[in-house]
Amino acid sequence: MSGPDGGARRDELAANLARVQARIAAAERAADRAPGEVSLVVVTKFFPASDVRLLAGLGVTDVGENRHQEAAAKAADCADLDLAWHFIGGLQSNKAAAVARYADVVESVDRARLVAPLARGAAEEGRRVDVLLQVSLDPPDHTGERSGATEADLGALAEAVSATESLRLRGLMAVAPLGEEPARAFERLAQIRQRFMQSFPEATTLSAGMSGDLEEAIAVGATHVRVGSAVLGSRPGVL
Ligand SMILES: *Cc1c(COP(=O)(O)O)cnc(C)c1O
């Protein structure tokens, strides 16, 4: 970072952003999809609000965060910018109302217990919050901790969200599990989505694909990709 306006960092972010946008455009073409059909959510977790500000200056409109305290602080810091904040992390029910006060999209709704506090937080601020249901792509024999609802749970969860005034059901979100080809996992996701949309045809959003697998996600119909390290660099202290 150099200079008060972050000139060197801005150049670095601009170059990374251009590379990611070119990858998205190429993947859209490869999948015979219309240019600009896929939206980019830049995941800014672990990076400072000054980076968010630079990204907004470079035309980024949507940012993603996965921890409540960090997200709340950055959203407050950047309140003068016209950004949509996506909450993409594991959500505790005692934090859900607070998240719904600043998040424009909550992408990680994976159990019914989250719905009432989210709806209350949004209603108390007089806002409507978009919701994606996070679906687990773990293989059926998976035994470890699961983030994401099972396909069998999605219908009831979608009904619960739809029954609120302050939440709007928009679609599904998923993360490819470790240890499996992302393309295979995303094939399952596409099938889950197709079945889900028979009951919830308005829920057209599909958030899938990250720095390492955005092409595979766009190939199966992702409407939003969530990209962190390919834009911001490796996260300090992790990975
Ligand atoms: C961190 C994170 C991302 C971005 O991951 P990168 O590999 O850095 O692009 C996307 N989605 C979720 C849910 C995340 O937690």
Side-chain angles (χ1 to χ4, degrees):
M1 173 99 47
S2 73
D5 62 352
R9 180 61 168 157
R10 191 209 282 114
D11 291 349
E12 181 185 2
L13 293 176
N16 291 346
L17 195 57
R19 262 192 299 274
V20 167
Q21 282 161 343
R23 283 175 62 190
I24 293 171
E28 285 170 339
R29 278 195 300 278
D32 267 326
R33 300 181 55 185
E37 205 176 283
V38 177
S39 301
L40 171 64
V41 178
V42 178
V43 178
T44 49
K45 63 189 185 196
F46 293 98
F47 287 93
S50 56
D51 279 350
V52 178
R53 201 163 279 284
L54 290 172
L55 289 165
L58 294 167
V60 168
T61 56
D62 290 72
V63 293
E65 288 284 336
N66 72 338
R67 293 186 307 182
H68 163 57
Q69 278 188 323
E70 182 184 346
K74 271 185 240 178
D77 229 313
C78 297
D80 58 310
L81 305 173
D82 195 17
L83 288 168
W85 292 83
H86 295 240
F87 191 85
I88 62 173
L91 197 49
Q92 294 167 260
S93 40
N94 62 351
K95 305 264 173 67
V99 167
R101 293 195 177 97
Y102 59 83
D104 298 288
V105 188
V106 179
E107 299 203 6
S108 42
V109 175
D110 63 356
R111 58 199 189 282
R113 277 189 65 189
L114 297 171
V115 174
L118 282 171
R120 178 165 51 79
E124 281 168 1
E125 291 290 312
R127 0 189 7 244
R128 287 197 89 184
V129 173
D130 286 346
V131 163
L132 305 183
L133 307 183
Q134 182 173 356
V135 57
S136 168
L137 298 180
D138 291 333
D141 58 355
H142 177 87
T143 51
E145 193 179 329
R146 186 187 289 281
S147 63
T150 63
E151 183 181 6
D153 292 334
L154 288 180
L157 203 45
E159 296 289 1
V161 171
S162 302
T164 70
E165 289 285 328
S166 56
L167 305 178
R168 195 158 40 181
L169 177 71
R170 300 310 289 259
L172 300 178
M173 182 273 244
V175 179
L178 294 172
E180 186 186 16
E181 285 291 322
R184 280 192 54 184
F186 288 149
E187 266 313 319
R188 281 203 301 287
L189 176 61
Q191 288 161 16
I192 292 169
R193 180 202 199 192
Q194 190 183 20
R195 291 188 287 264
F196 181 70
M197 284 188 67
Q198 286 166 11
S199 306
F200 302 94
E202 318 280 271
T204 53
T205 297
L206 182 62
S207 172
M210 323 200 305
S211 293
D213 57 19
L214 67 88
E215 285 84 0
E216 288 87 345
I218 291 172
V220 303
T223 60
H224 291 66
V225 293
R226 307 175 308 270
V227 179
S229 47
V231 173
L232 288 133
S234 0
R235 287 182 278 279
V238 286
L239 301 182

